[in-house]
């Protein structure tokens, strides 16, 4: 048999309810506090009882000392002993010698109370006074402490019992209090289970602030999930629509090629099929990148030289019927991104600009203290203001002169926006100095 490993504290509590956890924790803390208080109080019972005896003895001693100083005999209250001794500790009041040692007599003459253990513990207080004849007398007052130790032990036991009973009462009260506090949460859980699509959790106006905040956060989560599901449905529908067109075109042209064995027609059909296949491949690649981004996949950030990447993008563009101009700042502009992402962004922006420009495309690289920017401008028809906030949406096409010549699927700029956004950057479109469109991409600066 395989020996099971040690159970972690989290594992022991994994199957217990929150109500039991809170009750157990608070009960344990209550027990520790009450036991600590009972222990401290039990240790203080002895000094407390002795202090009460000292107060009473000190009051009787004051009266007895005044009587002796006046030449009279001090009175002894019931239960107390009042003696008059000489400074050596011998009695001068015709009584029996008290059970006091020399050290105890010396302490009493100094005004220090003492406890003598003779036939039983006796608490003594003393004071030296001068009699009318000029002699020095030691007046002492004593009280027996019989039963005090038993009272201390009994009191300590009762304090411990009281602490245990108090802990049990507190635990029961906490159990019911936590259950009452969590009852609205249980009702909310039951209502959540019965929610229909589009419904939200409702909380009474008299509910606690924490419960209302929990309901608001849960409703916000439901809104976010509904929005995500709606985007997914729209994205799936748009993707299916976009995929249907090239697939249908390839199928139709293949049927034409099969039905007509003419070599020249077959060659033309194969060229058209190749173009549609390339369009379909680009569409699938874009959908795959967007799907990975939606799933949260993010390659590690690297240090990318944007000046070199812009020049490499121009080289990849090859021969173009327009003029490509690169305005790079002196030195190097380093961005915190991934090489593949930067290549995809620059290729899409450059391809988009070359598609719509008339004579030239200008690419600029600028750097500041915290960001680096790439500007791609053309002298084409530009982008109207009402389209500038939507042009980065997936499958969005501008229905104006800038889109009439486009055969794209509406994913290029959406890819640009998504790849830049997940690196903490931003992308925008405005008007270039040549009258066309100018796209601005901002990445965080490396380092």
């Amino acid at each position: 048999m395989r020996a099971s490993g040690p159970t972690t504290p989290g594992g022991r509590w994994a199957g217990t309810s929150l109500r039991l956890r809170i009750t157990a924790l608070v009960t344990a803390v209550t027990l520790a506090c009450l036991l600590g208080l009972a222990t401290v109080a039990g240790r203080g019972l002895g000094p407390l009882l002795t202090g009460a005896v000292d107060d009473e003895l000190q009051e009787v001693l004051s009266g007895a000392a005044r009587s002796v100083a006046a030449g009279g005999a001090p009175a002894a209250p019931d239960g107390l002993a009042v003696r008059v001794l000489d400074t050596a500790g011998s009695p001068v009041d015709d009584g029996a010698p008290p059970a006091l040692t020399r050290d105890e007599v010396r302490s009493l003459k100094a005004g220090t109370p003492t406890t003598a253990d003779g036939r039983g513990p006796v608490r003594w207080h003393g004071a030296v006074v001068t009699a009318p004849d000029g002699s020095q007398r030691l007046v002492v007052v004593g009280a027996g402490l019989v039963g005090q130790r038993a009272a201390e032990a009994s009191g300590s036991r009762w304090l411990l019992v009281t602490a245990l009973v108090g802990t049990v009462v507190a635990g029961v009260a906490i159990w019911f209090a936590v259950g009452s506090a969590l009852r609205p949460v249980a009702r909310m859980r039951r209502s959540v289970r019965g929610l229909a699509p589009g419904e939200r959790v409702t909380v009474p106006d008299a509910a606690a602030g924490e419960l209302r905040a929990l309901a608001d956060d849960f409703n916000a989560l439901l809104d976010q999930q509904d929005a995500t599901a709606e985007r997914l449905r729209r994205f799936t529908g748009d993707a299916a629509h976009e995929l249907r067109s090239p697939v249908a075109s390839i199928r139709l042209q293949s049927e034409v090629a099969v039905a007509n064995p003419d070599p020249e027609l077959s060659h033309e059909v194969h060229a058209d099929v190749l173009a549609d296949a390339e369009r379909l491949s680009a569409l699938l690649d874009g959908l795959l990148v967007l799907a990975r981004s939606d799933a949260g996949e993010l390659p590690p950030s690297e240090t990318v030289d944007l000046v070199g990447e812009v020049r490499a993008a121009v080289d990849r563009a090859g021969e173009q019927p327009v003029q490509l101009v690169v305005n790079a700042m002196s030195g190097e502009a380093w961005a915190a991104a991934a090489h593949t992402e930067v290549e995809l962004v620059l290729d899409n922006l450059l391809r988009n600009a070359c598609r719509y420009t008339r004579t030239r495309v200008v690419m600029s690289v600028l750097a500041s203290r915290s960001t680096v920017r790439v500007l791609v401008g053309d002298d084409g028809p530009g982008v109207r203001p009402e389209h500038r906030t939507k042009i980065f949406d997936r499958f969005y096409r501008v229905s104006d002169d800038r889109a009439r010549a486009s055969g794209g699927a509406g994913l290029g700029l959406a890819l640009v926006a998504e790849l830049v956004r997940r690196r903490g950057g931003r992308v925008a479109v405005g008007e270039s100095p040549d009258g066309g469109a100018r796209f601005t991409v901002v990445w965080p600066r490396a380092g």
Side-chain angles (χ1 to χ4, degrees):
M1 296 178 61
R2 182 184 298 177
S4 60
T7 304
T8 60
R12 289 197 298 267
W13 286 99
T16 59
S17 63
L18 179 62
R19 184 181 186 182
L20 179 59
R21 295 184 190 184
I22 296 177
T23 302
L25 177 61
V26 178
T27 302
V29 174
T30 303
L31 177 61
C33 294
L34 290 180
L35 287 179
L37 292 175
T39 303
V40 173
R43 293 178 179 178
L45 282 177
L48 180 64
L49 295 175
T50 302
V53 173
D54 288 342
D55 292 340
E56 185 176 357
L57 291 178
Q58 190 63 38
E59 183 178 355
V60 174
L61 178 62
S62 298
R66 288 193 297 270
S67 298
V68 173
D78 294 338
L80 299 181
V82 179
R83 304 297 305 278
V84 180
L85 312 175
D86 59 16
T87 55
S90 300
V92 295
D93 54 0
D94 300 331
L100 293 172
T101 63
R102 291 183 179 180
D103 293 336
E104 292 169 348
V105 171
R106 188 177 300 110
S107 297
L108 291 174
K109 289 194 295 183
T112 303
T114 185
T115 300
D117 291 327
R119 299 174 183 175
V122 179
R123 186 69 171 176
W124 291 98
H125 278 240
V128 177
V129 298
T130 302
D133 59 359
S135 59
Q136 298 291 316
R137 296 289 183 260
L138 175 62
V139 181
V140 294
V141 180
L145 300 180
V146 177
Q148 179 173 333
R149 293 177 181 174
E152 294 178 12
S154 177
S156 298
R157 287 195 298 271
W158 277 108
L159 286 172
L160 293 177
V161 171
T162 303
L164 295 177
V165 173
T167 301
V168 173
V169 173
V172 174
I174 293 168
W175 174 265
F176 286 103
V178 173
S180 177
L182 294 178
R183 195 171 296 117
V185 179
R187 288 196 297 265
M188 180 185 297
R189 186 177 65 237
R190 290 192 295 269
S191 65
V192 167
R193 292 175 181 174
L195 285 178
E199 291 185 353
R200 295 294 180 263
V201 179
T202 58
V203 182
D205 295 335
E210 293 81 2
L211 187 61
R212 183 175 301 280
L214 176 61
D216 293 340
D217 291 342
F218 189 79
N219 288 336
L221 178 61
L222 290 178
D223 293 338
Q224 183 178 0
Q225 288 183 342
D226 287 348
T228 302
E230 178 62 27
R231 287 196 302 268
L232 179 60
R233 286 192 295 268
R234 187 170 61 249
F235 178 75
T236 304
D238 293 339
H241 176 73
E242 294 296 334
L243 290 172
R244 187 183 299 115
S245 298
V247 171
S249 178
I250 292 174
R251 178 179 178 181
L252 178 60
Q253 295 176 37
S254 299
E255 292 175 351
V256 171
V258 172
N260 296 276
D262 185 5
E264 294 183 0
L265 179 60
S266 178
H267 178 75
E268 295 178 359
V269 170
H270 286 163
D272 294 338
V273 169
L274 178 60
D276 287 336
E278 291 177 349
R279 178 188 174 195
L280 181 60
S281 176
L283 178 60
L284 290 176
D285 290 340
L287 291 174
L288 181 59
V289 173
L290 289 175
R292 289 175 176 173
S293 179
D294 291 339
E297 296 184 12
L298 185 64
S301 178
E302 307 171 29
T303 301
V304 182
D305 177 20
L306 289 185
V307 176
E309 292 295 335
V310 167
R311 298 188 185 279
V314 173
D315 293 338
R316 286 193 299 271
E319 296 294 334
Q320 294 288 339
V322 296
Q323 180 185 7
L324 296 178
V325 181
V326 178
N327 296 328
M329 59 171 290
S330 58
E332 297 174 332
W334 300 97
H339 287 283
T340 55
E341 296 174 354
V342 174
E343 290 179 358
L344 186 56
V345 169
L346 295 180
D347 288 346
N348 275 279
L349 291 178
L350 185 57
R351 189 182 305 114
N352 180 79
C354 292
R355 181 182 300 151
Y356 299 114
T357 191
R358 295 187 181 93
T359 59
R360 70 171 187 164
V361 174
V362 179
M363 301 185 70
S364 304
V365 181
L366 304 174
S368 63
R369 180 174 299 179
S370 59
T371 61
V372 286
R373 293 181 294 168
V374 174
L375 287 73
V376 181
D378 59 64
D379 59 355
V383 180
R384 295 179 182 177
E386 61 269 21
H387 298 301
R388 292 176 182 174
T389 58
K390 301 178 181 179
I391 197 172
F392 299 104
D393 294 343
R394 300 174 185 183
F395 302 108
Y396 183 81
R397 292 187 180 90
V398 180
S399 57
D400 59 8
D401 294 338
R402 190 172 180 87
R404 290 173 185 172
S406 174
L411 283 181
L413 295 180
L415 283 173
V416 170
E418 181 65 21
L419 294 176
V420 174
R421 179 198 59 80
R422 68 179 186 173
R423 289 298 177 184
R426 63 185 185 275
V427 59
V429 59
E431 185 176 350
S432 73
D434 295 329
R438 181 168 68 178
F439 289 85
T440 302
V441 182
V442 181
W443 277 286
R445 186 167 184 175

